[in-house]
Amino acid sequence: MELIQSVITIVLFLFILGILVLVHEVGHYITARLARIRVLEFGIGFPPRARVLRSEGETLWTLNWLPIGGFVKLEGEDGDAADDPRSFSNAPLVTRLLILVAGVLMNVLLAFAIFAGIALTGDPTIGVRAGVVDPGSPAAAAGMQAGDLVASVNGRYFSAFGGERILDVIRDNAGQTVRLGIERDGRTIGLEVTLREEAEISPTRGALGISGLASRTTSFTIGHDLGESAAIGVDRTTGAMNLILGGLGELVAAIGRPTEPPPASGPVGIAIQIGDVFWALGPIVTLYLAGVLSANLAVVNILPFPPLDGGRMLVLVLKSVFGRRLSLRVERLTYLVGFVFLFAFLIWVTGFDLLRQFGG
């Protein structure tokens, strides 16, 4: 069973990553076509090439063996093909910058669509499942059983994407009688529970008296109308982008301490997180996580670091300022050095992902 779950987790991770990168590349492709830049190839996945999907027209559509997104190859994007009026290198600076930033904007739009879509169909709510009901506890006295899901408190449900947790609300009502909504065997029942007094609570003795806890989604969803959903989509997209912006300073500081775990996850860590969320909380919360990753991908790609889109935009601006003094050879060397540093960074964070996974 664990092997099957691991395989599904890997496939799910590759699928989510592939969609996020493909959407990014679609942004480059559409903008390039609108600007009449020649698109030589649109690849699904990365080489080696598996097969040609479509060869008619000027764009070659290919399917490649490495299922980690895709790429768009533009005429003259490496600075050559100077004699082709439809090459990327001959396009006005503003046009080239728009083509590069379009991928970032597509990831932002995808994040917004995911967040707004979830809100419109109904935010899932999250409760806590009791693995053990402590003997003699308020939970036992009220008739709670192991496996019960505490879904609501006094009729109030808690969004899976909100900041308030159901256990915190239970703790805040210590000493009071509350009505808990309990999901058991596919049905919902209400139980009146008189919680322990504040003085009786300790780190190992909660107000309710349940342990072996696990967060789970409930059968109840919180719906929003179209206007509210759009506003929520904007708020959650900006929140996800600010989340990674806030962590960039910590990450830069952590690079100076390479023997300490970084405040970021690599591909392995992200795959593990996706798997944990999918198996514990279900597909909707996993979709929400994909929205967070899309917003994060947008922020990362706009950073002024070659060979990311932001770095390429920086090089284009520098070339427009310094002209021929920034040669094509220097430009390509800049991208190569940036790629080496980026690859080394991925190896670093992935190493700590593996250490965390295997208890190191």
Side-chain angles (χ1 to χ4, degrees), residues 35-86:
R36 298 189 56 79
I37 302 299
R38 195 183 305 277
V39 181
L40 300 178
E41 182 177 355
F42 190 111
I44 300 173
F46 282 93
R49 183 179 298 170
R51 62 177 299 182
V52 174
L53 299 176
R54 184 174 181 270
S55 58
E56 293 84 1
E58 65 182 22
T59 302
L60 186 68
W61 295 79
T62 61
L63 181 65
N64 301 280
W65 282 112
L66 299 180
I68 47 176
F71 65 93
V72 170
K73 184 178 181 181
L74 305 177
E75 178 80 11
E77 66 178 321
D78 295 327
D80 50 8
D83 57 340
D84 188 344
R86 293 185 58 202

mmCIF file of all heavy atoms in Angstrom, residues 35-86:
data_model
loop_
_atom_site.group_PDB
_atom_site.id
_atom_site.type_symbol
_atom_site.label_atom_id
_atom_site.label_comp_id
_atom_site.label_asym_id
_atom_site.label_seq_id
_atom_site.Cartn_x
_atom_site.Cartn_y
_atom_site.Cartn_z
ATOM 1 N N ALA A 35 3.220 39.015 -31.026
ATOM 2 C CA ALA A 35 4.243 39.978 -31.453
ATOM 3 C C ALA A 35 4.889 39.572 -32.784
ATOM 4 O O ALA A 35 5.830 40.231 -33.228
ATOM 5 C CB ALA A 35 5.322 40.094 -30.382
ATOM 6 N N ARG A 36 4.371 38.481 -33.390
ATOM 7 C CA ARG A 36 4.872 37.980 -34.665
ATOM 8 C C ARG A 36 6.334 37.564 -34.596
ATOM 9 O O ARG A 36 7.101 37.701 -35.565
ATOM 10 C CB ARG A 36 4.650 38.990 -35.792
ATOM 11 C CG ARG A 36 3.181 39.295 -36.056
ATOM 12 C CD ARG A 36 2.989 40.119 -37.319
ATOM 13 N NE ARG A 36 3.570 39.481 -38.491
ATOM 14 C CZ ARG A 36 3.004 38.481 -39.161
ATOM 15 N NH1 ARG A 36 1.844 37.976 -38.748
ATOM 16 N NH2 ARG A 36 3.604 37.976 -40.239
ATOM 17 N N ILE A 37 6.753 37.052 -33.432
ATOM 18 C CA ILE A 37 8.076 36.443 -33.289
ATOM 19 C C ILE A 37 7.973 34.979 -33.701
ATOM 20 O O ILE A 37 7.025 34.290 -33.329
ATOM 21 C CB ILE A 37 8.580 36.557 -31.837
ATOM 22 C CG1 ILE A 37 8.624 38.026 -31.403
ATOM 23 C CG2 ILE A 37 9.952 35.904 -31.686
ATOM 24 C CD1 ILE A 37 9.535 38.899 -32.217
ATOM 25 N N ARG A 38 8.938 34.479 -34.441
ATOM 26 C CA ARG A 38 8.898 33.112 -34.929
ATOM 27 C C ARG A 38 9.147 32.125 -33.782
ATOM 28 O O ARG A 38 10.189 32.187 -33.118
ATOM 29 C CB ARG A 38 9.936 32.908 -36.026
ATOM 30 C CG ARG A 38 9.725 31.636 -36.850
ATOM 31 C CD ARG A 38 10.845 31.481 -37.866
ATOM 32 N NE ARG A 38 10.992 32.656 -38.716
ATOM 33 C CZ ARG A 38 10.254 32.880 -39.796
ATOM 34 N NH1 ARG A 38 9.305 32.026 -40.140
ATOM 35 N NH2 ARG A 38 10.455 33.971 -40.514
ATOM 36 N N VAL A 39 8.184 31.232 -33.546
ATOM 37 C CA VAL A 39 8.320 30.200 -32.524
ATOM 38 C C VAL A 39 8.737 28.914 -33.219
ATOM 39 O O VAL A 39 7.978 28.338 -34.005
ATOM 40 C CB VAL A 39 6.997 29.985 -31.751
ATOM 41 C CG1 VAL A 39 7.186 28.928 -30.672
ATOM 42 C CG2 VAL A 39 6.511 31.292 -31.138
ATOM 43 N N LEU A 40 9.950 28.457 -32.951
ATOM 44 C CA LEU A 40 10.491 27.282 -33.634
ATOM 45 C C LEU A 40 9.942 25.978 -33.059
ATOM 46 O O LEU A 40 9.671 25.041 -33.807
ATOM 47 C CB LEU A 40 12.023 27.281 -33.546
ATOM 48 C CG LEU A 40 12.727 28.489 -34.173
ATOM 49 C CD1 LEU A 40 14.228 28.380 -33.984
ATOM 50 C CD2 LEU A 40 12.376 28.614 -35.650
ATOM 51 N N GLU A 41 9.791 25.928 -31.739
ATOM 52 C CA GLU A 41 9.348 24.669 -31.123
ATOM 53 C C GLU A 41 8.620 24.938 -29.818
ATOM 54 O O GLU A 41 9.004 25.828 -29.044
ATOM 55 C CB GLU A 41 10.538 23.744 -30.862
ATOM 56 C CG GLU A 41 10.165 22.386 -30.276
ATOM 57 C CD GLU A 41 11.360 21.460 -30.095
ATOM 58 O OE1 GLU A 41 12.479 21.832 -30.523
ATOM 59 O OE2 GLU A 41 11.176 20.362 -29.526
ATOM 60 N N PHE A 42 7.552 24.181 -29.595
ATOM 61 C CA PHE A 42 6.887 24.138 -28.296
ATOM 62 C C PHE A 42 7.001 22.695 -27.820
ATOM 63 O O PHE A 42 6.406 21.792 -28.396
ATOM 64 C CB PHE A 42 5.415 24.549 -28.393
ATOM 65 C CG PHE A 42 4.758 24.755 -27.056
ATOM 66 C CD1 PHE A 42 4.381 26.017 -26.642
ATOM 67 C CD2 PHE A 42 4.528 23.687 -26.192
ATOM 68 C CE1 PHE A 42 3.783 26.220 -25.398
ATOM 69 C CE2 PHE A 42 3.942 23.874 -24.957
ATOM 70 C CZ PHE A 42 3.570 25.145 -24.558
ATOM 71 N N GLY A 43 7.784 22.505 -26.774
ATOM 72 C CA GLY A 43 8.028 21.159 -26.270
ATOM 73 C C GLY A 43 7.262 20.887 -24.994
ATOM 74 O O GLY A 43 7.278 21.693 -24.060
ATOM 75 N N ILE A 44 6.570 19.754 -24.962
ATOM 76 C CA ILE A 44 5.915 19.279 -23.736
ATOM 77 C C ILE A 44 6.877 18.295 -23.080
ATOM 78 O O ILE A 44 7.202 17.254 -23.652
ATOM 79 C CB ILE A 44 4.576 18.600 -24.053
ATOM 80 C CG1 ILE A 44 3.636 19.587 -24.753
ATOM 81 C CG2 ILE A 44 3.918 18.070 -22.778
ATOM 82 C CD1 ILE A 44 2.348 18.957 -25.247
ATOM 83 N N GLY A 45 7.343 18.632 -21.874
ATOM 84 C CA GLY A 45 8.421 17.876 -21.270
ATOM 85 C C GLY A 45 9.756 18.362 -21.812
ATOM 86 O O GLY A 45 9.815 19.238 -22.688
ATOM 87 N N PHE A 46 10.850 17.793 -21.287
ATOM 88 C CA PHE A 46 12.179 18.196 -21.716
ATOM 89 C C PHE A 46 12.866 17.050 -22.452
ATOM 90 O O PHE A 46 12.593 15.881 -22.197
ATOM 91 C CB PHE A 46 13.024 18.644 -20.519
ATOM 92 C CG PHE A 46 12.689 20.033 -20.054
ATOM 93 C CD1 PHE A 46 11.765 20.239 -19.043
ATOM 94 C CD2 PHE A 46 13.283 21.134 -20.642
ATOM 95 C CE1 PHE A 46 11.443 21.515 -18.626
ATOM 96 C CE2 PHE A 46 12.975 22.421 -20.231
ATOM 97 C CZ PHE A 46 12.044 22.611 -19.218
ATOM 98 N N PRO A 47 13.779 17.411 -23.396
ATOM 99 C CA PRO A 47 14.455 16.375 -24.186
ATOM 100 C C PRO A 47 15.197 15.369 -23.286
ATOM 101 O O PRO A 47 15.523 15.693 -22.141
ATOM 102 C CB PRO A 47 15.438 17.192 -25.037
ATOM 103 C CG PRO A 47 14.820 18.560 -25.103
ATOM 104 C CD PRO A 47 14.173 18.756 -23.770
ATOM 105 N N PRO A 48 15.396 14.152 -23.841
ATOM 106 C CA PRO A 48 15.335 13.785 -25.255
ATOM 107 C C PRO A 48 13.909 13.671 -25.797
ATOM 108 O O PRO A 48 12.987 13.363 -25.050
ATOM 109 C CB PRO A 48 16.054 12.431 -25.299
ATOM 110 C CG PRO A 48 15.893 11.882 -23.922
ATOM 111 C CD PRO A 48 15.934 13.060 -22.998
ATOM 112 N N ARG A 49 13.785 13.903 -27.099
ATOM 113 C CA ARG A 49 12.479 13.927 -27.745
ATOM 114 C C ARG A 49 11.907 12.517 -27.871
ATOM 115 O O ARG A 49 12.593 11.580 -28.257
ATOM 116 C CB ARG A 49 12.602 14.574 -29.121
ATOM 117 C CG ARG A 49 11.283 14.724 -29.865
ATOM 118 C CD ARG A 49 11.508 15.390 -31.202
ATOM 119 N NE ARG A 49 12.045 16.751 -31.038
ATOM 120 C CZ ARG A 49 12.507 17.472 -32.034
ATOM 121 N NH1 ARG A 49 12.536 16.974 -33.266
ATOM 122 N NH2 ARG A 49 12.968 18.702 -31.817
ATOM 123 N N ALA A 50 10.617 12.389 -27.538
ATOM 124 C CA ALA A 50 9.930 11.107 -27.673
ATOM 125 C C ALA A 50 9.253 11.005 -29.034
ATOM 126 O O ALA A 50 9.365 9.989 -29.721
ATOM 127 C CB ALA A 50 8.908 10.931 -26.559
ATOM 128 N N ARG A 51 8.543 12.064 -29.425
ATOM 129 C CA ARG A 51 7.880 12.053 -30.724
ATOM 130 C C ARG A 51 7.482 13.475 -31.114
ATOM 131 O O ARG A 51 7.400 14.370 -30.269
ATOM 132 C CB ARG A 51 6.643 11.158 -30.709
ATOM 133 C CG ARG A 51 5.563 11.602 -29.723
ATOM 134 C CD ARG A 51 4.335 10.720 -29.802
ATOM 135 N NE ARG A 51 3.730 10.769 -31.137
ATOM 136 C CZ ARG A 51 2.632 10.115 -31.457
ATOM 137 N NH1 ARG A 51 2.029 9.353 -30.563
ATOM 138 N NH2 ARG A 51 2.126 10.218 -32.665
ATOM 139 N N VAL A 52 7.242 13.662 -32.397
ATOM 140 C CA VAL A 52 6.744 14.934 -32.917
ATOM 141 C C VAL A 52 5.222 14.860 -32.969
ATOM 142 O O VAL A 52 4.661 13.961 -33.597
ATOM 143 C CB VAL A 52 7.317 15.219 -34.314
ATOM 144 C CG1 VAL A 52 6.674 16.478 -34.900
ATOM 145 C CG2 VAL A 52 8.830 15.383 -34.250
ATOM 146 N N LEU A 53 4.558 15.791 -32.293
ATOM 147 C CA LEU A 53 3.100 15.799 -32.265
ATOM 148 C C LEU A 53 2.511 16.482 -33.494
ATOM 149 O O LEU A 53 1.479 16.063 -34.014
ATOM 150 C CB LEU A 53 2.608 16.498 -30.995
ATOM 151 C CG LEU A 53 3.027 15.868 -29.665
ATOM 152 C CD1 LEU A 53 2.540 16.717 -28.506
ATOM 153 C CD2 LEU A 53 2.502 14.446 -29.547
ATOM 154 N N ARG A 54 3.166 17.537 -33.936
ATOM 155 C CA ARG A 54 2.660 18.295 -35.087
ATOM 156 C C ARG A 54 3.819 19.052 -35.720
ATOM 157 O O ARG A 54 4.588 19.705 -35.018
ATOM 158 C CB ARG A 54 1.574 19.271 -34.646
ATOM 159 C CG ARG A 54 0.896 20.046 -35.771
ATOM 160 C CD ARG A 54 -0.254 20.878 -35.218
ATOM 161 N NE ARG A 54 -0.942 21.619 -36.258
ATOM 162 C CZ ARG A 54 -0.611 22.859 -36.638
ATOM 163 N NH1 ARG A 54 0.389 23.492 -36.043
ATOM 164 N NH2 ARG A 54 -1.299 23.457 -37.584
ATOM 165 N N SER A 55 3.931 18.929 -37.033
ATOM 166 C CA SER A 55 5.039 19.579 -37.727
ATOM 167 C C SER A 55 4.578 20.591 -38.762
ATOM 168 O O SER A 55 5.395 21.263 -39.378
ATOM 169 C CB SER A 55 5.925 18.526 -38.403
ATOM 170 O OG SER A 55 5.168 17.749 -39.323
ATOM 171 N N GLU A 56 3.252 20.686 -38.979
ATOM 172 C CA GLU A 56 2.755 21.662 -39.941
ATOM 173 C C GLU A 56 2.958 23.080 -39.409
ATOM 174 O O GLU A 56 2.875 23.322 -38.214
ATOM 175 C CB GLU A 56 1.269 21.434 -40.234
ATOM 176 C CG GLU A 56 0.976 20.141 -40.975
ATOM 177 C CD GLU A 56 0.877 18.944 -40.066
ATOM 178 O OE1 GLU A 56 1.033 19.142 -38.832
ATOM 179 O OE2 GLU A 56 0.668 17.821 -40.552
ATOM 180 N N GLY A 57 3.192 24.010 -40.322
ATOM 181 C CA GLY A 57 3.399 25.384 -39.914
ATOM 182 C C GLY A 57 4.830 25.614 -39.475
ATOM 183 O O GLY A 57 5.712 24.763 -39.622
ATOM 184 N N GLU A 58 5.092 26.771 -38.901
ATOM 185 C CA GLU A 58 6.463 27.124 -38.542
ATOM 186 C C GLU A 58 6.867 26.626 -37.159
ATOM 187 O O GLU A 58 8.041 26.677 -36.808
ATOM 188 C CB GLU A 58 6.641 28.645 -38.602
ATOM 189 C CG GLU A 58 5.826 29.415 -37.579
ATOM 190 C CD GLU A 58 6.001 30.920 -37.710
ATOM 191 O OE1 GLU A 58 6.385 31.372 -38.807
ATOM 192 O OE2 GLU A 58 5.746 31.629 -36.728
ATOM 193 N N THR A 59 5.917 26.169 -36.366
ATOM 194 C CA THR A 59 6.212 25.697 -35.009
ATOM 195 C C THR A 59 6.160 24.181 -34.953
ATOM 196 O O THR A 59 5.180 23.566 -35.372
ATOM 197 C CB THR A 59 5.218 26.285 -33.992
ATOM 198 O OG1 THR A 59 5.272 27.708 -34.042
ATOM 199 C CG2 THR A 59 5.560 25.829 -32.581
ATOM 200 N N LEU A 60 7.215 23.587 -34.428
ATOM 201 C CA LEU A 60 7.277 22.146 -34.224
ATOM 202 C C LEU A 60 6.768 21.828 -32.816
ATOM 203 O O LEU A 60 7.298 22.345 -31.832
ATOM 204 C CB LEU A 60 8.716 21.659 -34.391
ATOM 205 C CG LEU A 60 8.954 20.150 -34.359
ATOM 206 C CD1 LEU A 60 8.345 19.493 -35.592
ATOM 207 C CD2 LEU A 60 10.449 19.862 -34.281
ATOM 208 N N TRP A 61 5.731 20.987 -32.720
ATOM 209 C CA TRP A 61 5.175 20.598 -31.424
ATOM 210 C C TRP A 61 5.700 19.207 -31.077
ATOM 211 O O TRP A 61 5.511 18.260 -31.842
ATOM 212 C CB TRP A 61 3.648 20.591 -31.476
ATOM 213 C CG TRP A 61 3.073 21.953 -31.696
ATOM 214 C CD1 TRP A 61 2.980 22.627 -32.877
ATOM 215 C CD2 TRP A 61 2.534 22.826 -30.699
ATOM 216 N NE1 TRP A 61 2.418 23.875 -32.701
ATOM 217 C CE2 TRP A 61 2.123 24.020 -31.362
ATOM 218 C CE3 TRP A 61 2.340 22.721 -29.328
ATOM 219 C CZ2 TRP A 61 1.544 25.086 -30.679
ATOM 220 C CZ3 TRP A 61 1.753 23.791 -28.651
ATOM 221 C CH2 TRP A 61 1.375 24.949 -29.316
ATOM 222 N N THR A 62 6.382 19.099 -29.931
ATOM 223 C CA THR A 62 7.045 17.845 -29.598
ATOM 224 C C THR A 62 6.652 17.357 -28.206
ATOM 225 O O THR A 62 6.294 18.143 -27.320
ATOM 226 C CB THR A 62 8.575 18.004 -29.644
ATOM 227 O OG1 THR A 62 8.987 19.002 -28.680
ATOM 228 C CG2 THR A 62 9.033 18.417 -31.025
ATOM 229 N N LEU A 63 6.724 16.050 -28.043
ATOM 230 C CA LEU A 63 6.546 15.407 -26.747
ATOM 231 C C LEU A 63 7.889 14.814 -26.357
ATOM 232 O O LEU A 63 8.499 14.067 -27.135
ATOM 233 C CB LEU A 63 5.477 14.308 -26.833
ATOM 234 C CG LEU A 63 5.165 13.547 -25.537
ATOM 235 C CD1 LEU A 63 4.547 14.484 -24.507
ATOM 236 C CD2 LEU A 63 4.234 12.374 -25.827
ATOM 237 N N ASN A 64 8.359 15.143 -25.146
ATOM 238 C CA ASN A 64 9.693 14.744 -24.722
ATOM 239 C C ASN A 64 9.635 13.825 -23.503
ATOM 240 O O ASN A 64 8.612 13.748 -22.810
ATOM 241 C CB ASN A 64 10.527 15.993 -24.422
ATOM 242 C CG ASN A 64 10.641 16.897 -25.639
ATOM 243 O OD1 ASN A 64 11.436 16.664 -26.530
ATOM 244 N ND2 ASN A 64 9.809 17.933 -25.684
ATOM 245 N N TRP A 65 10.736 13.150 -23.265
ATOM 246 C CA TRP A 65 10.734 12.069 -22.283
ATOM 247 C C TRP A 65 10.706 12.541 -20.835
ATOM 248 O O TRP A 65 10.159 11.859 -19.974
ATOM 249 C CB TRP A 65 11.963 11.173 -22.496
ATOM 250 C CG TRP A 65 11.816 10.227 -23.649
ATOM 251 C CD1 TRP A 65 12.509 10.251 -24.835
ATOM 252 C CD2 TRP A 65 10.917 9.120 -23.748
ATOM 253 N NE1 TRP A 65 12.096 9.244 -25.659
ATOM 254 C CE2 TRP A 65 11.122 8.522 -25.020
ATOM 255 C CE3 TRP A 65 9.959 8.577 -22.892
ATOM 256 C CZ2 TRP A 65 10.398 7.404 -25.439
ATOM 257 C CZ3 TRP A 65 9.248 7.464 -23.317
ATOM 258 C CH2 TRP A 65 9.458 6.891 -24.568
ATOM 259 N N LEU A 66 11.292 13.680 -20.523
ATOM 260 C CA LEU A 66 11.352 14.128 -19.133
ATOM 261 C C LEU A 66 10.087 14.915 -18.793
ATOM 262 O O LEU A 66 9.912 16.042 -19.262
ATOM 263 C CB LEU A 66 12.593 14.992 -18.892
ATOM 264 C CG LEU A 66 13.933 14.291 -19.132
ATOM 265 C CD1 LEU A 66 15.090 15.240 -18.855
ATOM 266 C CD2 LEU A 66 14.057 13.033 -18.263
ATOM 267 N N PRO A 67 9.188 14.351 -17.962
ATOM 268 C CA PRO A 67 7.862 14.968 -17.721
ATOM 269 C C PRO A 67 7.896 16.055 -16.658
ATOM 270 O O PRO A 67 7.234 15.973 -15.630
ATOM 271 C CB PRO A 67 7.029 13.764 -17.265
ATOM 272 C CG PRO A 67 8.006 12.904 -16.535
ATOM 273 C CD PRO A 67 9.332 13.061 -17.261
ATOM 274 N N ILE A 68 8.659 17.112 -16.907
ATOM 275 C CA ILE A 68 8.792 18.173 -15.899
ATOM 276 C C ILE A 68 8.505 19.537 -16.526
ATOM 277 O O ILE A 68 9.279 20.474 -16.382
ATOM 278 C CB ILE A 68 10.190 18.159 -15.240
ATOM 279 C CG1 ILE A 68 11.292 18.042 -16.313
ATOM 280 C CG2 ILE A 68 10.306 17.024 -14.241
ATOM 281 C CD1 ILE A 68 12.696 18.129 -15.738
ATOM 282 N N GLY A 69 7.391 19.619 -17.239
ATOM 283 C CA GLY A 69 6.992 20.919 -17.769
ATOM 284 C C GLY A 69 7.120 20.997 -19.262
ATOM 285 O O GLY A 69 6.586 20.159 -19.990
ATOM 286 N N GLY A 70 7.846 21.988 -19.740
ATOM 287 C CA GLY A 70 7.978 22.173 -21.166
ATOM 288 C C GLY A 70 8.861 23.376 -21.469
ATOM 289 O O GLY A 70 9.457 23.964 -20.574
ATOM 290 N N PHE A 71 8.943 23.716 -22.753
ATOM 291 C CA PHE A 71 9.788 24.840 -23.155
ATOM 292 C C PHE A 71 9.272 25.420 -24.459
ATOM 293 O O PHE A 71 8.554 24.752 -25.218
ATOM 294 C CB PHE A 71 11.251 24.401 -23.315
ATOM 295 C CG PHE A 71 11.461 23.410 -24.433
ATOM 296 C CD1 PHE A 71 11.813 23.834 -25.704
ATOM 297 C CD2 PHE A 71 11.305 22.051 -24.206
ATOM 298 C CE1 PHE A 71 12.000 22.930 -26.741
ATOM 299 C CE2 PHE A 71 11.492 21.135 -25.223
ATOM 300 C CZ PHE A 71 11.840 21.569 -26.498
ATOM 301 N N VAL A 72 9.637 26.669 -24.718
ATOM 302 C CA VAL A 72 9.350 27.348 -25.970
ATOM 303 C C VAL A 72 10.678 27.834 -26.539
ATOM 304 O O VAL A 72 11.443 28.507 -25.842
ATOM 305 C CB VAL A 72 8.392 28.535 -25.772
ATOM 306 C CG1 VAL A 72 8.306 29.370 -27.037
ATOM 307 C CG2 VAL A 72 7.008 28.039 -25.384
ATOM 308 N N LYS A 73 10.951 27.463 -27.784
ATOM 309 C CA LYS A 73 12.182 27.889 -28.448
ATOM 310 C C LYS A 73 11.846 28.949 -29.483
ATOM 311 O O LYS A 73 11.096 28.690 -30.437
ATOM 312 C CB LYS A 73 12.863 26.693 -29.112
ATOM 313 C CG LYS A 73 14.212 27.033 -29.744
ATOM 314 C CD LYS A 73 14.862 25.797 -30.335
ATOM 315 C CE LYS A 73 16.211 26.136 -30.952
ATOM 316 N NZ LYS A 73 16.842 24.925 -31.555
ATOM 317 N N LEU A 74 12.383 30.143 -29.300
ATOM 318 C CA LEU A 74 12.116 31.261 -30.195
ATOM 319 C C LEU A 74 13.296 31.484 -31.140
ATOM 320 O O LEU A 74 14.454 31.277 -30.760
ATOM 321 C CB LEU A 74 11.863 32.541 -29.386
ATOM 322 C CG LEU A 74 10.771 32.490 -28.323
ATOM 323 C CD1 LEU A 74 10.710 33.816 -27.584
ATOM 324 C CD2 LEU A 74 9.426 32.159 -28.947
ATOM 325 N N GLU A 75 12.994 31.907 -32.332
ATOM 326 C CA GLU A 75 14.043 32.268 -33.280
ATOM 327 C C GLU A 75 14.840 33.445 -32.727
ATOM 328 O O GLU A 75 14.292 34.481 -32.356
ATOM 329 C CB GLU A 75 13.410 32.669 -34.612
ATOM 330 C CG GLU A 75 14.411 33.106 -35.673
ATOM 331 C CD GLU A 75 15.065 31.933 -36.367
ATOM 332 O OE1 GLU A 75 14.596 30.784 -36.177
ATOM 333 O OE2 GLU A 75 16.044 32.159 -37.096
ATOM 334 N N GLY A 76 16.161 33.261 -32.610
ATOM 335 C CA GLY A 76 17.032 34.346 -32.188
ATOM 336 C C GLY A 76 17.031 34.648 -30.704
ATOM 337 O O GLY A 76 17.545 35.680 -30.283
ATOM 338 N N GLU A 77 16.482 33.753 -29.869
ATOM 339 C CA GLU A 77 16.450 34.057 -28.434
ATOM 340 C C GLU A 77 17.844 33.988 -27.811
ATOM 341 O O GLU A 77 18.074 34.529 -26.724
ATOM 342 C CB GLU A 77 15.505 33.104 -27.698
ATOM 343 C CG GLU A 77 15.927 31.652 -27.687
ATOM 344 C CD GLU A 77 14.951 30.792 -26.893
ATOM 345 O OE1 GLU A 77 14.475 31.273 -25.845
ATOM 346 O OE2 GLU A 77 14.660 29.672 -27.328
ATOM 347 N N ASP A 78 18.795 33.324 -28.466
ATOM 348 C CA ASP A 78 20.171 33.260 -27.975
ATOM 349 C C ASP A 78 21.041 34.364 -28.548
ATOM 350 O O ASP A 78 22.263 34.341 -28.404
ATOM 351 C CB ASP A 78 20.789 31.896 -28.316
ATOM 352 C CG ASP A 78 20.100 30.754 -27.584
ATOM 353 O OD1 ASP A 78 19.645 30.983 -26.445
ATOM 354 O OD2 ASP A 78 20.007 29.650 -28.152
ATOM 355 N N GLY A 79 20.401 35.312 -29.236
ATOM 356 C CA GLY A 79 21.151 36.442 -29.771
ATOM 357 C C GLY A 79 21.586 36.277 -31.209
ATOM 358 O O GLY A 79 22.195 37.184 -31.781
ATOM 359 N N ASP A 80 21.284 35.116 -31.826
ATOM 360 C CA ASP A 80 21.678 34.912 -33.213
ATOM 361 C C ASP A 80 20.505 35.263 -34.144
ATOM 362 O O ASP A 80 19.541 35.879 -33.724
ATOM 363 C CB ASP A 80 22.132 33.466 -33.432
ATOM 364 C CG ASP A 80 21.125 32.465 -32.878
ATOM 365 O OD1 ASP A 80 20.024 32.895 -32.466
ATOM 366 O OD2 ASP A 80 21.445 31.263 -32.832
ATOM 367 N N ALA A 81 20.572 34.816 -35.377
ATOM 368 C CA ALA A 81 19.536 35.080 -36.390
ATOM 369 C C ALA A 81 19.249 36.584 -36.531
ATOM 370 O O ALA A 81 18.110 37.020 -36.625
ATOM 371 C CB ALA A 81 18.248 34.340 -36.048
ATOM 372 N N ALA A 82 20.330 37.356 -36.559
ATOM 373 C CA ALA A 82 20.169 38.810 -36.620
ATOM 374 C C ALA A 82 19.579 39.278 -37.947
ATOM 375 O O ALA A 82 19.070 40.398 -38.038
ATOM 376 C CB ALA A 82 21.527 39.483 -36.393
ATOM 377 N N ASP A 83 19.646 38.416 -38.973
ATOM 378 C CA ASP A 83 19.127 38.819 -40.274
ATOM 379 C C ASP A 83 17.646 38.503 -40.453
ATOM 380 O O ASP A 83 17.061 38.831 -41.484
ATOM 381 C CB ASP A 83 19.928 38.122 -41.384
ATOM 382 C CG ASP A 83 19.908 36.615 -41.240
ATOM 383 O OD1 ASP A 83 19.628 36.141 -40.118
ATOM 384 O OD2 ASP A 83 20.186 35.917 -42.236
ATOM 385 N N ASP A 84 17.018 37.857 -39.468
ATOM 386 C CA ASP A 84 15.595 37.510 -39.549
ATOM 387 C C ASP A 84 14.772 38.604 -38.875
ATOM 388 O O ASP A 84 14.901 38.814 -37.666
ATOM 389 C CB ASP A 84 15.349 36.162 -38.874
ATOM 390 C CG ASP A 84 13.917 35.646 -39.082
ATOM 391 O OD1 ASP A 84 13.054 36.467 -39.474
ATOM 392 O OD2 ASP A 84 13.668 34.462 -38.847
ATOM 393 N N PRO A 85 13.927 39.314 -39.630
ATOM 394 C CA PRO A 85 13.143 40.399 -39.021
ATOM 395 C C PRO A 85 12.149 39.897 -37.969
ATOM 396 O O PRO A 85 11.672 40.695 -37.161
ATOM 397 C CB PRO A 85 12.418 41.026 -40.216
ATOM 398 C CG PRO A 85 12.392 39.960 -41.258
ATOM 399 C CD PRO A 85 13.666 39.180 -41.072
ATOM 400 N N ARG A 86 11.832 38.579 -37.966
ATOM 401 C CA ARG A 86 10.901 38.024 -36.984
ATOM 402 C C ARG A 86 11.622 37.318 -35.839
ATOM 403 O O ARG A 86 10.996 36.577 -35.089
ATOM 404 C CB ARG A 86 9.939 37.055 -37.669
ATOM 405 C CG ARG A 86 8.978 37.725 -38.647
ATOM 406 C CD ARG A 86 7.989 36.720 -39.180
ATOM 407 N NE ARG A 86 7.238 36.099 -38.101
ATOM 408 C CZ ARG A 86 6.616 34.924 -38.189
ATOM 409 N NH1 ARG A 86 6.686 34.235 -39.324
ATOM 410 N NH2 ARG A 86 5.951 34.438 -37.171
#
